[in-house]
């Protein structure tokens, strides 16, 4: 089971880089790259601002490559998504995904 940061959680970066993957009609999963204890971590967050999964990485480049390879897009670089989506609001809390740890389990992550 992934270990989540203590909540409520707000990243140190005042302009965090949200990534998003549209997974269905009015359904999307958000990803937030952060540094926790100096290590790159990818937090997966629902629209309700609940952290539902986590994957740790060795470096930010590998983290970003993994996001792209898994169908996530950087929200700030896609104006078409900004027209109808808004990232979750801070602070984040602990949440749950109805299908469990879908990314860290490898079920929906390559």
């Amino acid at each position: 089971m992934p270990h989540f940061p203590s909540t409520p959680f707000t990243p140190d970066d005042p302009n965090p880089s949200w990534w998003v993957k549209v997974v269905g009609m009015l359904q999307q999963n958000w990803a937030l790259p952060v540094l926790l204890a100096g290590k790159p971590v990818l937090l997966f967050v629902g629209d309700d601002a609940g952290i539902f999964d986590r994957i740790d990485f060795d470096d930010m480049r590998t983290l970003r490559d993994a996001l792209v390879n898994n169908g996530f897009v950087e929200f700030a670089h896609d104006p078409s998504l900004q027209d109808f989506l808004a990232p979750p609001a801070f602070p984040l809390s602990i949440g749950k995904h109805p299908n469990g740890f879908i990314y860290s389990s490898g079920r929906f992550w390559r």
Side-chain angles (χ1 to χ4, degrees), residues 3-87:
H3 173 74
F4 298 126
S6 54
T7 58
F9 176 77
T10 300
D12 293 333
D13 184 347
N15 297 306
S17 177
W18 283 106
W19 290 67
V20 64
K21 181 176 185 176
V22 176
V23 294
M25 183 71 157
L26 300 175
Q27 294 179 334
Q28 51 278 333
N29 291 331
W30 295 90
L32 182 64
V34 296
L35 290 175
L36 295 179
K39 298 289 284 176
V41 173
L42 190 52
L43 300 175
F44 296 96
V45 182
D47 285 324
D48 62 355
I51 303 167
F52 66 84
D53 208 348
R54 166 188 173 156
I55 299 177
D56 295 28
F57 288 86
D58 292 328
D59 58 74
M60 278 295 193
R61 182 180 182 137
T62 304
L63 181 153
R64 291 178 64 85
D65 290 347
L67 281 166
V68 171
N69 290 336
N70 283 280
F72 283 80
V73 296
E74 194 166 7
F75 184 69
H77 295 177
D78 194 327
S80 65
L81 290 175
Q82 295 170 30
D83 286 342
F84 67 94
L85 292 178

Side-chain angles (χ1 to χ4, degrees), residues 82-101:
Q82 295 170 30
D83 286 342
F84 67 94
L85 292 178
F90 294 110
L92 304 178
S93 60
I94 301 300
K96 283 181 140 181
H97 190 280
N99 294 314
F101 301 116

